[in-house]
Amino acid sequence: MANHLSFLLLFLIFYRVSAGRHVSVQAGGSITIPCSYDQYYINHVKYWCKGYGWTRCSSVVRTDHPKSTDRASISDNITQTVFTVIMTDLEPEDSSTYRCVVEINGGSDSMLQWFYLSVTPGTPELYVDQQEVTGVEGGSVTVHCYYSNSGDMKWCRMGGDCVSGYSGTLNGTSVTLKRTSEANNRTVLTVTMSGLKMENTDWYWCRVGELEMPVHITVSQQTATQRTSKMSSTTQDPTTQQPSASPTAEPVQTDNTSQGAEGNMEEVHQRSVKVLLISLGMLVVVTAGILVTWKMWRKHKDNKAKDQTTNNSVDPFPEADDDVTYSTVILQHKAQLKGQTKSAEPDDNVVYSSLALQVTTQQRAAAQ
């Protein structure tokens, strides 16, 4: 019984390591294949071989020599413990089984993964717009997977978990899946990853049924210009770039939260001009208010001075006013003064007799 359990365990381990992936590519196109390995093999030689049988698998490219041929190249990223193979100008004759292999000195080489590459003359059953997608930390990326086959739809991280259905999370990052149909009997699976983190940089697989297509996502830190633009924008509503559907893989920037330095500088310049114009307008309004206030104050001061001058020039004996009560003594004195003045001034047109003048003189003397 123990022997059977050990054999089953070994079979499951071997099946997990050696489970193949089916990749479909259009003739004339290109494909990038990632091969993940354990840190134990960092210093080992890796190679990509072609052949249906393990004993008939012939090397195509190696990390030692040659690293590239006319239509294939290999590179090893020891930081992410992943080596990648790029095949270009594919032809139907290139359809075959390929293997990711680690060379073991003094022993049997270790196969990491095997792929069946199908090169078709027409549109492949499953393909993506681009295999290289870039985004910034805190932003989002969108991948469009076009397929015509049937089966379960999944978005998986290489060597990790998968998201199926409509939404889920991968390493704390939100993932949404949306399926839409097109007129040419083709369906589009739109995968959106939001709230990107630096650790989201990795290879992912768009999987529909038995077909898979690898996609590499690179997350970079926001630059100072991008952070300033994001903070200053009050109506920013990032939209995902919709690249043209093409079976060939080409790198494309799909995160619209980043903007070019030239556009940001122009926006900052426009904002500076607006602030300057507003400041000048406020200065003009304040200056005009000060001038109006000063003129009103001067006018009030002049009117007050005129009123004081008018009040100082008052008749010592004003005419009688019905609303004023005068003392009888003052009125009598005023009447006497007027009478004396009037009588003291002889009229040239009147002829007085000497007798009348004498009488008048006597009356004045008696009165005194």
Side-chain angles (χ1 to χ4, degrees):
M1 182 68 178
N3 293 333
H4 288 290
L5 291 177
S6 299
F7 176 78
L8 179 61
L9 180 61
L10 290 174
F11 174 78
L12 291 176
I13 295 175
F14 175 78
Y15 178 79
R16 182 177 179 182
V17 172
S18 62
R21 300 180 184 272
H22 188 178
V23 181
S24 179
V25 185
Q26 186 176 11
S30 61
I31 185 69
T32 301
I33 300 294
C35 300
S36 177
Y37 58 87
D38 190 89
Q39 291 185 352
Y40 178 80
Y41 298 122
I42 287 180
N43 297 322
H44 285 245
V45 175
K46 294 89 178 177
Y47 62 91
W48 175 256
C49 67
K50 175 184 177 181
Y52 289 100
W54 175 247
T55 58
R56 297 181 180 180
C57 192
S58 59
S59 177
V60 179
V61 285
R62 299 168 56 93
T63 57
D64 54 353
H65 181 78
K67 291 186 177 181
S68 63
T69 62
D70 293 338
R71 298 187 297 118
S73 62
I74 187 171
S75 61
D76 188 8
N77 188 335
I78 61 176
T79 302
Q80 296 183 358
T81 62
V82 175
F83 73 90
T84 56
V85 177
I86 301 177
M87 300 184 68
T88 61
D89 298 327
L90 291 170
E91 301 175 355
E93 293 77 13
D94 294 321
S95 298
S96 182
T97 300
Y98 295 84
R99 289 177 171 82
C100 304
V101 184
V102 173
E103 188 176 69
I104 306 298
N105 296 328
S108 300
D109 293 347
S110 174
M111 183 187 69
L112 303 175
Q113 184 74 58
W114 67 269
F115 296 85
Y116 179 74
L117 178 61
S118 175
V119 182
T120 61
T123 303
E125 291 184 292
L126 173 63
Y127 66 91
V128 294
D129 288 317
Q130 64 283 330
Q131 285 190 267
E132 290 287 342
V133 180
T134 60
V136 295
E137 188 177 12
S140 62
V141 292
T142 299
V143 178
H144 300 280
C145 304
Y146 302 87
Y147 65 94
S148 57
N149 62 319
S150 60
D152 295 335
M153 300 175 299
K154 295 182 180 181
W155 177 255
C156 306
R157 185 166 185 169
M158 186 174 63
D161 298 329
C162 298
V163 173
S164 59
Y166 296 99
S167 62
T169 57
L170 288 178
N171 299 98
T173 301
S174 175
V175 179
T176 59
L177 305 179
K178 182 180 179 181
R179 184 177 63 181
T180 57
S181 300
E182 294 188 345
N184 53 1
N185 296 326
R186 186 176 57 182
T187 308
V188 182
L189 175 63
T190 302
V191 182
T192 303
M193 297 182 64
S194 305
L196 294 174
K197 304 175 183 178
M198 296 295 295
E199 53 267 27
N200 293 138
T201 298
D202 204 345
W203 280 95
Y204 297 81
W205 293 88
C206 185
R207 181 183 301 172
V208 179
E210 296 180 354
L211 294 176
E212 297 181 77
M213 179 58 64
V215 178
H216 186 262
I217 295 179
T218 303
V219 182
S220 59
Q221 291 182 342
Q222 289 186 355
T223 62
T225 303
Q226 291 170 344
R227 287 192 295 267
T228 302
S229 176
K230 186 175 181 180
M231 294 176 61
S232 61
S233 177
T234 57
T235 59
Q236 185 171 356
D237 184 14
T239 57
T240 304
Q241 182 178 352
Q242 301 290 341
S244 59
S246 173
T248 59
E250 295 181 0
V252 65
Q253 175 76 24
T254 61
D255 187 9
N256 290 333
T257 57
S258 61
Q259 301 178 356
E262 182 178 355
N264 292 328
M265 291 299 295
E266 182 178 356
E267 182 180 357
V268 172
H269 176 70
Q270 292 177 355
R271 291 181 179 274
S272 301
V273 172
K274 290 181 180 180
V275 172
L276 179 60
L277 292 177
I278 293 174
S279 302
L280 291 177
M282 294 179 63
L283 180 61
V284 171
V285 172
V286 173
T287 304
I290 293 174
L291 291 175
V292 172
T293 303
W294 180 77
K295 288 183 178 181
M296 292 178 65
W297 178 79
R298 288 297 303 270
K299 184 177 181 180
H300 174 72
K301 187 175 181 181
D302 294 341
N303 292 337
K304 186 175 181 181
K306 290 180 180 179
D307 293 341
Q308 291 179 355
T309 304
T310 304
N311 293 334
N312 291 334
S313 58
V314 180
D315 185 3
F317 300 101
E319 296 295 333
D321 193 343
D322 295 338
D323 296 333
V324 181
T325 304
Y326 298 95
S327 171
T328 55
V329 177
I330 295 176
L331 292 176
Q332 290 177 0
H333 181 67
K334 180 179 179 182
Q336 291 176 358
L337 291 177
K338 288 184 176 181
Q340 291 177 1
T341 303
K342 184 174 182 181
S343 60
E345 296 178 355
D347 193 349
D348 295 338
N349 297 324
V350 180
V351 178
Y352 299 91
S353 65
S354 58
L355 180 59
L357 292 174
Q358 291 179 359
V359 173
T360 302
T361 305
Q362 291 176 0
Q363 288 179 351
R364 289 181 178 177
Q368 292 179 355

